[in-house]
Amino acid sequence: MFPLGQSSLPSPENVQVHVVNTNFTLSWDYNGSNPNVTFSAEFQWPELEDTGWQELRGCQAVLGTACDISAAISEYYDLHLVRVRAQAGPRASPWSGILEMVPEHIGTSSGDTVLPSAPQGTLLLPALLT
């Protein structure tokens, strides 16, 4: 048995944000074999760093590998940090690598834009993504 927060569950990988107009969808890949796994995401704004990571509304105990984060995006010009983990009962995977995104840099009005996540422990710089 693994204590909460420690597990043999692999972390989600390839965390991305897909954007169509002002609709933002967070998605990820998962290579685990547990059929009862769910996923949860958290976000943080550097300006609110003192409050720590916050649950991402609409992305808690998700059965699939995507969730709509449009309601959580209220500041289009601010940096958002996002991470995802797998859960199965009391077990939880380590968090995925942190995805850095500035919605205004990836938003489009005519198509789908994908922002890939960085490997675990690496941060993407928004200036490099425009």
Side-chain angles (χ1 to χ4, degrees):
M1 184 77 180
F2 294 94
L4 183 61
Q6 297 180 3
S7 94
S8 61
L9 296 174
S11 297
E13 299 176 330
N14 197 28
V15 178
Q16 302 177 12
V17 174
H18 304 266
V19 183
V20 177
N21 295 323
T22 57
N23 298 311
F24 292 80
T25 303
L26 182 66
S27 69
W28 54 89
D29 294 332
Y30 186 68
N31 296 319
S33 59
N34 188 322
N36 299 316
V37 71
T38 61
F39 302 92
S40 294
E42 292 184 339
F43 77 99
Q44 184 179 70
W45 290 345
E47 295 81 20
L48 303 175
E49 193 171 357
D50 293 341
T51 63
W53 289 91
Q54 305 291 314
E55 289 184 350
L56 192 52
R57 187 175 24 160
C59 293
Q60 301 301 304
V62 175
L63 294 174
T65 56
C67 58
D68 184 351
I69 62 170
S70 302
I73 305 295
S74 60
E75 301 296 331
Y76 289 91
Y77 302 102
D78 290 347
L79 177 67
H80 292 66
L81 308 176
V82 181
R83 63 185 185 179
V84 181
R85 74 174 173 186
Q87 296 170 260
R91 297 184 302 153
S93 74
W95 288 102
S96 67
I98 296 172
L99 171 68
E100 284 192 1
M101 68 162 190
V102 177
E104 190 269 334
H105 289 174
I106 60 171
T108 67
S109 60
S110 61
D112 193 25
T113 301
V114 177
L115 177 68
S117 68
Q120 188 164 353
T122 307
L123 299 178
L124 293 175
L125 299 175
L128 300 176
L129 299 172
T130 58

